Amino acid sequence: MNLSQLIAQEPNEANLQSWLRKVPYAAYLGIGAEVRGEDVLFILPRDGKLVGNPSPAIIHGGVIGAFMELAGTFHLVAKMDKPVLPKIIDFSLDYLRPSLLRETYARCELTRQGRFIANISICAWQQRESKPTAIARAHFLIPGDEK
């Protein structure tokens, strides 16, 4: 089953994991997802291959950015009435503090979804959500039926 077919299924925890495994870079990073009520928590595991600066061990900024972009994408898919694969228009990321080599979490908020454009806010943190390591905003194009 391809990703387009998978996203048509209910966005429960097992299906979210299947979605993430279908994206090679998400699978390589080991990104996971947990459903908590109406919310989805994305998890980037502690893994030495993610280090960009070895002393002290800090996760590469590109990995953090990719993790947050993927979290935003799949959060949007999970919240859509008729799921389709959105296309990223732009992604703005602010690094607030170093992401040390430990589990990193991301929570997303669908700010607005129109017929063609959606806006997502993403917050990443490690030990406490009140101390984010990075925040981002993403705009997505929602493919539709052009008539």
Side-chain angles (χ1 to χ4, degrees), residues 46-95:
R46 179 185 194 278
D47 190 335
K49 70 184 176 194
L50 308 178
V51 171
N53 182 359
S55 182
I58 296 173
I59 299 172
H60 192 283
V63 169
I64 296 297
F67 167 59
M68 294 175 76
E69 183 180 327
L70 287 164
T73 301
F74 284 111
H75 179 83
L76 175 58
V77 170
K79 297 297 179 183
M80 289 179 170
D81 290 332
K82 292 182 179 178
V84 295
L85 288 173
K87 298 177 182 178
I88 190 83
I89 296 172
D90 68 53
F91 186 78
S92 176
L93 175 61
D94 293 323
Y95 296 100

Side-chain angles (χ1 to χ4, degrees), residues 121-133:
S121 299
I122 307 129
C123 179
W125 74 94
Q126 292 189 310
Q127 292 182 308
R128 290 188 301 217
E129 191 170 358
S130 62
K131 289 196 161 211
T133 57

Side-chain angles (χ1 to χ4, degrees), residues 104-118:
T104 304
Y105 306 94
R107 187 178 316 280
C108 306
E109 180 181 343
L110 177 59
T111 308
R112 183 178 187 286
Q113 180 185 341
R115 280 189 359 190
F116 302 109
I117 304 290

Side-chain angles (χ1 to χ4, degrees), residues 33-45:
E34 293 179 5
V35 176
R36 296 185 177 178
E38 293 292 314
D39 207 9
V40 179
L41 181 68
F42 293 90
I43 304 161
L44 178 67

